[in-house]
Amino acid sequence: MPTSPLSRLLLAGLTLTLLAPTLSGCELSSSVPREMMPPVTQTGANKAGALVNGATWLPLAGVLFGSPAYRVRVNRTPQSGRGFEFSLSLTRQAPEGSEKYYPKPDSNIRFFLPSVLAPGSFALNESVTAPFPSEQGRHGVLTDYTTSPVFHYPTGSGPASGQLVITRFDTVARVVAGTFEFTGQRGAELIKVTQGRFDVIY
């Protein structure tokens, strides 16, 4: 027997009522970002990431007129035979209003190497002092801008150390790629950065 227009309307309304919680749940979950670590590459993909105390941390330029997500500098050193100075700055600025969904929503990871001749492994174990960014010795530092005052977690000596491995250092194609891990320290507080990787152009 054919269904009347009124019955069809009531049936459609009932279906939408039953689906409403599911749809609203989907909408809510879609606002929470699923950040995936990029693969380890050496192609100039302009990708980077790490785990900060076990949580995924990706560079993100989510604020209008904010800092760029990637900033790379490779300059020939004035001293003969020392190659190039290398600095890498990875910035994370979550979109305004969504900061609660991002671990360390306003933060920065930065490295400085005073002398790079070729790909290789570089210990991050030379003491540096604030203010940051600093160009003093081999180091890494995580800076948390969500705190007041700003918290810096640099490497240095003892437990606050780490390693940056450059797997591609191409001054012709202007590509630098590699991996990193380090422990930064502020007073007695340690912060661990693990499984880091970067593949950037400059």
Side-chain angles (χ1 to χ4, degrees):
M1 180 166 73
T3 308
S4 70
L6 179 60
S7 298
R8 287 198 297 271
L9 186 60
L10 290 173
L11 184 61
L14 179 61
T15 303
L16 285 175
T17 302
L18 292 173
L19 283 175
T22 306
L23 293 173
S24 65
C26 290
E27 184 179 338
L28 179 64
S29 64
S30 67
S31 64
V32 180
R34 267 186 70 85
E35 295 189 291
M36 304 294 290
M37 289 278 282
V40 176
T41 58
Q42 302 180 45
T43 60
N46 256 2
K47 298 288 184 183
L51 300 181
V52 175
N53 284 345
T56 301
W57 186 102
L58 303 180
L60 179 62
V63 178
L64 192 63
F65 306 120
S67 299
Y70 306 92
R71 196 174 273 161
V72 191
R73 190 171 61 81
V74 177
N75 288 339
R76 188 172 290 281
T77 60
Q79 296 91 348
S80 176
R82 287 175 57 88
F84 298 85
E85 287 183 348
F86 169 70
S87 67
L88 171 65
S89 176
L90 307 173
T91 298
R92 178 176 175 86
Q93 289 183 301
E96 291 183 13
S98 65
E99 292 90 348
K100 65 182 179 180
Y101 300 124
Y102 293 86
K104 302 285 183 200
D106 189 3
S107 53
N108 175 271
I109 292 176
R110 185 179 185 275
F111 302 97
F112 177 72
L113 302 176
S115 176
V116 179
L117 293 169
S121 180
F122 302 85
L124 305 173
N125 60 359
E126 296 182 358
S127 295
V128 293
T129 56
F132 295 99
S134 172
E135 297 188 351
Q136 315 166 35
R138 296 185 312 272
H139 72 278
V141 58
L142 184 142
T143 300
D144 188 347
Y145 293 104
T146 64
T147 60
S148 182
V150 171
F151 286 178
H152 301 287
Y153 299 86
T155 57
S157 58
S161 60
Q163 186 176 56
L164 186 146
V165 178
I166 295 180
T167 54
R168 181 179 179 186
F169 190 74
D170 191 332
T171 57
V172 176
R174 300 174 70 86
V175 174
V176 186
T179 60
F180 60 86
E181 61 177 28
F182 70 91
T183 299
Q185 185 169 14
R186 179 183 180 272
E189 184 183 0
L190 299 176
I191 197 161
K192 291 188 175 295
V193 178
T194 57
Q195 297 185 37
R197 67 281 312 268
F198 64 94
D199 178 10
V200 292
I201 56 177
Y202 66 95

